[in-house]
Amino acid sequence: MKVWIPHERGPSLLGDLPAGVTVEVAAEPHRLPSPVAGVRFWVPPFLAEADTTEMLRELPDLEVVQLLTAGADTWVGRMPPGVTLCDGRGVHDQATSEWVVAAILAHLRSFPAFIQAQARREWAYGELAPTDELAGKRVLIVGAGSIGTAVRARLAPFEVGLTLVARTARSGVHAAEELPRLLPEADVVVLLVPLTKQTRGLVDAAFLAAMRDGALLVNAARGPVAQTEALVAELGTGRISAVLDVTDPEPLPTDHPLWMMPNVLLTPHVAGSVRGLLPRAYRLVGDQIRRFAAGEPPINVVVDGY
C-alpha cells in the first residue's frame, strides 16, 4: 500500500513498517511524488488550510486520513464515503500545555511590561513591582481532553484551584452547562475545546460578562471559539485581560484593535509548534500505519467533530 506524508524527515521517524508499505513525501498538492492511484493512507500538512481538503477528491483509493493536529475542524464533514478521519490527539499535550502555563505566568508576572521596560532601558521595579502571582488562583479549564488533562497536571504544583469542564459531566469534570455558575469564580479561564458547531462562538458577550473583574482569558483552542467582536468590546473596557494564541480571523490583520490593547498578549498560533513535534507526530503516524496494515482499527478516530 502507498502512504503519503508531508515531511522529508518523516520516513526516518516512522519506525519499522510492514513489507509492502511504500512511504512517499507529498509536501505540496501541486508537487505529487507519484500517481494518485494506490494511496490508501494520507497525512496532510500540519495546520493545512481548507483548500488542502480538495485533495480528497483526487485520491480514489484513500481509506485513512491521519491529521497532525489535535483539532479536526477543517476536515470534519468533508470525508468521502469510506474514508476514516483520525486526529493527532496526544501529540500536542506537552507543547500546548507548556504554552498555557507560560502564558498564564507571563501575564501574572507582568513579563510583557518588563520586556517593554527593557527595550526602554528602564529599571522598572518601582513601576511594576509587586506583580501578581499564580499561587492561590482559581483556574477553570474549558475542555477536558488530553491537552486539558496535561494542563491540569502541569498547573497542580503551583498551588492553584483547578476546575475542568467538558461537554458532559463525569467524575472530576463539570458539564458545559455549568459555565454560567463557574465563570464568576475563576481567576483564569483556559480554552482548550475543539472547534465544532457547539463550541463555535462559545465565548460570547454573556460568557465574557460572567467572568470576574481582573480575570484572564487564555485561548489555546481555535480563534472562532471566541466571538471576536464581543472579545474586542470586553477587552476594550480593561475589565479583563487575555493571552491569545489563536484569533478570528487568522492571521490577524495589522490594523486589528487586538494588536494594540495593553491587556492582550498575542502569539501567532505557535502553542504546538515546537522542535519535538515531528518525532511525536510520526510515532503516532507509524503506529497508525502498522495498525492499518494489520487490519486493526485505528485510534483517534474523529466522531462528531471530536
Side-chain angles (χ1 to χ4, degrees):
M1 82 175 180
K2 192 155 60 173
V3 175
W4 278 0
I5 62 174
H7 295 96
E8 295 288 346
R9 286 182 60 200
S12 67
L13 301 171
L14 290 170
D16 294 332
L17 298 178
V21 175
T22 300
V23 177
E24 298 176 343
V25 177
E28 301 176 31
H30 61 279
R31 293 173 54 193
L32 303 180
S34 67
V36 296
V39 177
R40 299 172 61 195
F41 192 109
W42 179 38
V43 182
F46 180 57
L47 295 178
E49 300 292 339
D51 58 358
T52 306
T53 63
E54 296 175 5
M55 193 66 195
L56 293 168
R57 300 196 301 266
E58 308 298 325
L59 300 173
D61 301 316
L62 187 64
E63 296 182 53
V64 175
V65 173
Q66 173 61 60
L67 304 180
L68 301 180
T69 54
D73 47 281
T74 299
W75 299 85
V76 170
R78 300 175 185 266
M79 291 297 106
V83 178
T84 300
L85 177 64
C86 303
D87 63 25
R89 189 178 308 121
V91 168
H92 301 281
D93 293 1
Q94 298 93 329
T96 302
S97 59
E98 281 184 3
W99 181 92
V100 169
V101 175
I104 296 170
L105 287 170
H107 171 79
L108 293 176
R109 300 306 304 267
S110 301
F111 275 24
F114 284 116
I115 291 169
Q116 292 169 359
Q118 180 180 348
R120 299 190 302 266
R121 303 184 187 185
E122 293 181 6
W123 191 261
Y125 183 93
E127 176 188 352
L128 299 176
T131 69
D132 205 344
E133 60 184 335
L134 180 52
K137 291 291 188 289
R138 291 164 292 185
V139 181
L140 175 62
I141 302 173
V142 184
S146 61
I147 297 177
T149 302
V151 170
R152 177 176 61 183
R154 283 160 176 75
L155 285 175
F158 285 91
E159 303 174 15
V160 298
L162 289 161
T163 303
L164 268 67
V165 170
R167 281 182 296 174
T168 56
R170 57 181 184 267
S171 178
V173 178
H174 295 264
E177 62 189 24
E178 298 180 65
L179 279 171
R181 176 180 64 82
L182 296 172
L183 284 168
E185 301 173 358
D187 301 297
V188 180
V189 179
V190 181
L191 304 176
L192 290 167
V193 294
L195 180 60
T196 67
K197 291 180 180 179
Q198 292 73 33
T199 64
R200 183 179 291 273
L202 170 70
V203 180
D204 56 11
F207 182 110
L208 295 167
M211 292 177 62
R212 63 186 299 143
D213 289 355
L216 173 67
L217 179 72
V218 179
N219 192 355
R222 287 291 186 269
V225 169
Q227 294 181 8
T228 303
E229 185 176 343
L231 192 61
V232 170
E234 191 66 48
L235 289 169
T237 69
R239 193 182 68 82
I240 64 172
S241 300
V243 185
L244 309 173
D245 187 50
V246 290
T247 59
D248 182 26
E250 192 174 298
L252 198 65
T254 56
D255 60 349
H256 200 281
L258 284 173
W259 284 115
M260 300 304 295
M261 289 185 171
N263 52 338
V264 176
L265 173 61
L266 289 166
T267 60
H269 205 153
V270 297
S273 297
V274 295
R275 294 186 178 94
L277 168 61
L278 291 189
R280 285 193 290 269
Y282 279 99
R283 278 197 294 271
L284 171 62
V285 173
D287 288 344
Q288 294 282 64
I289 293 171
R290 286 184 283 273
R291 285 174 175 270
F292 181 65
E296 300 174 0
I299 62 172
N300 288 10
V301 175
V302 176
V303 178
D304 295 332
Y306 290 82

